[in-house]
């Protein structure tokens, strides 16, 4: 993939899905970058005034160096938000700066709008040359821990709904009040060269959460957080089942993750709309609770199938393989007879050092997880390792060249078998970005 930002005498060159005919600078709309003055009105006014030009070759709003305090603002179509190096968008800590918005169709609760929000959009780019969005999440975390919010009500940093042709790239995100990036019900999404940082004890600060999306590429990202680095979702229980929009055609590659209490990549637990055709490769995990954790429960319905992972390098892991069929959180009115389908899960070419537990694989009684495949996996155990390395119930599959020796429910099929990884590309991987100038 080409380098995504280049300095030139004509400005800052960067790579994007689309370039823009019109551009403006945030200060054109009265913004003050002192870190104290609220710029919510300036951001909203800038986008409102630029929107009429968007159909004429697109518009670009440049955030220059400075500290730009703001509450929630909405994006428009055919639009680029460019955050320059030395610029920081500071999220307001005033709750009234984040309007309450209706629940998502595949979830159950109303919630705060995210800091940067958009719905029913086409052709949106959020990028920069390593500019920053600072969520200033500490006050939100403290109030959440004291019982002031329910699980889903804190603002996210970036949330895009019912949209297509979305690019989020080349920026730093720090201290989000909750999740960092949440594309939901979107198509054709690129998320690349993103650095996400939050304290490892911060609550629910997931890095990137593709949710009921089709044709998504996440590449060259680094996440340190208090929750899952990437969490793949598609709605919860009766809401997700009724909405029935799966996450599919998802490629995750060249991810670095640190998350001592959560997963490198979580699949679920909100997976009631279905998750399929996920390719994950070239992942580095350090001090992370588990590599890929599949989370579901009776009542979820939906499916997780056709998951392919390869070339993982791991150090200091509590678990390597973890599947859970007993995730207990449910909304009122869920169907206790809705059983999830978990099948065709493939892992290959992985090494791990300082591992406490090789695998914890817990399917559902009378609804086992099937088609699990592991090949060419070597796990070196820590000095404090547990005696039981493979805890397997209600699962079925095969293995080859896996150390320590797997449980009897995953028998060896000899020294030559390799688990499948697709050789074709999903469409978004073939998109060629354009050289643009800010």
């Amino acid at each position: 993939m080409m380098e995504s930002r280049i300095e030139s005498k004509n400005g800052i060159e960067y790579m994007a899905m689309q370039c823009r005919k019109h551009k403006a600078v945030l200060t054109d709309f009265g913004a003050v970058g002192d870190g104290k003055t609220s710029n919510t009105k300036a951001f909203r006014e800038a986008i409102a005034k630029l929107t009429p030009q968007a159909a004429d070759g697109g518009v670009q709003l440049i955030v220059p160096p400075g500290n730009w305090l703001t509450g929630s603002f909405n994006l428009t179509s055919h639009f680029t938000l460019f955050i320059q190096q030395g610029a920081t968008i500071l999220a307001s800590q005033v709750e009234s700066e984040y309007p309450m918005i209706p629940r998502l169709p595949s979830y159950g609760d109303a919630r705060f709008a995210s800091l940067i929000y958009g719905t029913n959009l086409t052709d949106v780019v959020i990028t920069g040359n390593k500019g920053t969005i600072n969520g200033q999440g500490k006050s939100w975390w403290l109030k959440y821990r004291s019982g002031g919010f329910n699980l889903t009500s804190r603002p996210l940093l970036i949330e895009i709904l019912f949209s297509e042709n979305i690019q989020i790239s080349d920026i730093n995100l720090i201290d989000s009040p909750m999740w960092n990036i949440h594309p939901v019900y979107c198509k054709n999404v690129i998320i690349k060269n993103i650095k996400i940082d939050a304290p490892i004890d911060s609550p629910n600060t997931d890095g990137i959460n593709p949710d009921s999306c089709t044709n998504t590429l996440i590449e060259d990202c680094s996440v340190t957080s208090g929750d899952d680095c990437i969490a793949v979702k598609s709605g919860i229980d009766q809401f997700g089942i009724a909405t029935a929009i799966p996450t599919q055609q998802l490629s995750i590659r060249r991810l670095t993750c640190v998350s001592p209490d959560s997963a490198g990549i979580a699949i679920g637990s909100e997976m009631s709309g279905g998750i399929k055709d996920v390719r994950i490769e070239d992942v580095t995990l350090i001090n992370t609770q588990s590599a890929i954790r599949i989370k579901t429960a009776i009542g979820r319905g939906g499916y997780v199938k056709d998951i392919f992972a390869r070339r993982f390098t791991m150090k200091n892991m509590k678990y390597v393989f973890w599947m859970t069929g007993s995730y207990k959180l449910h909304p009122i009115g869920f169907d206790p007879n809705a059983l999830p389908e978990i099948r065709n899960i493939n892992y290959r070419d992985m090494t791990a050092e300082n591992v406490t537990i090789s695998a914890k694989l817990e399917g559902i009684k009378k609804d086992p997880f099937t088609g699990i495949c592991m090949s060419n996996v070597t796990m070196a155990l820590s000095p404090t390792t547990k005696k039981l390395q493979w805890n397997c119930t209600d699962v079925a599959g095969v293995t080859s060249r896996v150390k320590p020796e797997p449980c009897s429910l995953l028998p060896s099929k000899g020294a030559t078998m390799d688990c499948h990884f697709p050789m074709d590309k999903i469409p978004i991987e073939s998109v060629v970005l354009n050289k643009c100038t800010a």
Side-chain angles (χ1 to χ4, degrees):
M1 193 60 80
M2 295 181 67
E3 179 65 25
S4 297
R5 60 223 177 261
I6 308 165
E7 302 290 342
S8 83
K9 63 181 181 180
N10 298 316
I12 302 165
E13 294 183 351
Y14 64 96
M15 308 301 293
M17 285 181 165
Q18 294 292 338
C19 302
R20 309 302 181 191
K21 179 178 177 181
H22 307 282
K23 65 179 65 175
V25 181
L26 185 61
T27 49
D28 296 341
F29 304 91
V32 179
D34 61 3
K36 299 177 182 179
T37 303
S38 175
N39 295 291
T40 307
K41 181 180 178 181
F43 273 103
R44 294 175 181 176
E45 182 179 299
I47 294 167
K49 289 186 174 180
L50 291 171
T51 295
Q53 297 177 294
D56 177 32
V59 292
Q60 180 171 234
L61 178 63
I62 298 169
V63 182
N67 295 306
W68 309 94
L69 182 67
T70 181
S72 177
F73 60 91
N74 294 353
L75 304 180
T76 191
S77 293
H78 310 295
F79 178 83
T80 294
L81 178 68
F82 190 93
I83 309 170
Q84 289 189 347
Q85 188 172 39
T88 298
I89 297 177
L90 285 171
S92 172
Q93 296 175 300
V94 178
E95 289 181 28
S96 62
E97 292 264 46
Y98 302 87
M100 293 299 293
I101 57 177
R103 72 172 183 88
L104 293 168
S106 53
Y107 292 87
D109 298 319
R111 65 243 164 77
F112 286 109
S114 62
L115 177 66
I116 300 174
Y117 181 79
T119 186
N120 294 294
L121 303 179
T122 299
D123 177 22
V124 173
V125 176
I126 302 171
T127 192
N129 59 332
K130 295 305 179 186
T132 297
I133 301 173
N134 183 340
Q136 300 201 102
K138 186 175 180 180
S139 66
W140 298 91
W141 306 332
L142 290 172
K143 186 171 180 178
Y144 168 73
R145 289 188 176 113
S146 67
F149 298 121
N150 67 31
L151 182 63
T152 60
S153 64
R154 285 165 284 151
L156 316 185
L157 286 190
I158 301 172
E159 184 175 64
I160 310 292
L161 284 67
F162 294 110
S163 300
E164 62 181 4
N165 301 336
I166 306 300
Q167 176 185 334
I168 304 171
S169 63
D170 295 285
I171 54 175
N172 302 317
L173 307 179
I174 61 176
D175 291 350
S176 178
M178 198 171 145
W179 301 351
N180 282 266
I181 301 175
H182 186 216
V184 55
Y185 322 125
C186 290
K187 296 179 180 179
N188 309 333
V189 179
I190 294 175
I191 301 171
K192 61 175 294 178
N193 293 330
I194 300 293
K195 187 174 188 293
I196 295 173
D197 276 302
I200 59 174
D201 63 348
S202 55
N204 312 113
T205 51
D206 295 25
I208 304 167
N209 290 10
D211 195 339
S212 293
C213 290
T214 295
N215 198 29
T216 302
L217 173 63
I218 302 171
E219 67 177 2
D220 299 310
C221 293
S222 171
V223 182
T224 298
S225 80
D227 213 318
D228 303 317
C229 290
I230 294 178
V232 185
K233 301 178 181 292
S234 67
I236 190 167
D237 290 7
Q238 71 270 34
F239 303 109
I241 293 169
T243 305
I245 303 176
T247 288
Q248 57 190 343
Q249 292 183 314
L250 169 62
S251 177
I252 301 168
R253 58 195 189 191
R254 298 187 297 277
L255 169 72
T256 300
C257 168
V258 178
S259 184
D261 294 322
S262 291
I265 298 98
I267 300 178
S269 70
E270 303 93 336
M271 41 62 70
S272 302
I275 297 171
K276 66 181 179 181
D277 191 9
V278 179
R279 299 104 179 273
I280 310 166
E281 57 187 327
D282 299 311
V283 172
T284 300
L285 306 173
I286 303 167
N287 296 331
T288 297
Q289 187 183 55
S290 59
I292 299 173
R293 187 180 179 192
I294 297 175
K295 303 186 287 186
T296 188
I298 296 172
R300 287 289 191 262
Y303 55 82
V304 173
K305 61 185 180 181
D306 304 334
I307 310 298
F308 308 95
R310 67 177 177 180
R311 297 200 297 261
F312 278 49
T313 302
M314 298 166 272
K315 295 182 180 181
N316 305 330
M317 306 290 294
K318 182 176 181 180
Y319 302 100
V320 173
F321 302 110
W322 195 0
M323 301 181 185
T324 306
S326 58
Y327 223 70
K328 299 298 185 183
L329 183 66
H330 295 284
I332 295 172
F334 79 98
D335 179 1
N337 298 311
L339 295 177
E341 177 190 7
I342 312 298
R343 66 176 173 86
N344 194 23
I345 314 297
N346 298 269
Y347 307 100
R348 60 178 290 176
D349 307 332
M350 299 181 173
T351 61
E353 300 176 10
N354 203 31
V355 172
T356 303
I357 301 171
S358 297
K360 185 177 183 180
L361 310 176
E362 301 173 317
I364 297 172
K365 191 174 182 180
K366 298 183 181 179
D367 183 30
F369 300 171
T370 62
I372 299 168
C373 183
M374 303 174 183
S375 66
N376 190 29
V377 178
T378 301
M379 295 170 281
L381 304 182
S382 73
T384 59
T385 185
K386 302 293 184 181
K387 185 174 181 180
L388 179 63
Q389 278 298 300
W390 290 79
N391 187 353
C392 306
T393 55
D394 300 299
V395 298
V398 296
T399 57
S400 175
R401 310 184 314 282
V402 176
K403 298 179 181 179
E405 183 177 351
C407 58
S408 60
L409 296 178
L410 302 174
S412 173
K413 289 299 179 181
T416 59
M417 185 206 75
D418 274 313
C419 303
H420 181 59
F421 194 97
M423 292 296 103
D424 63 322
K425 292 182 178 181
I426 64 171
I428 198 70
E429 293 180 285
S430 299
V431 169
V432 177
L433 301 181
N434 300 295
K435 185 184 291 187
C436 306
T437 303

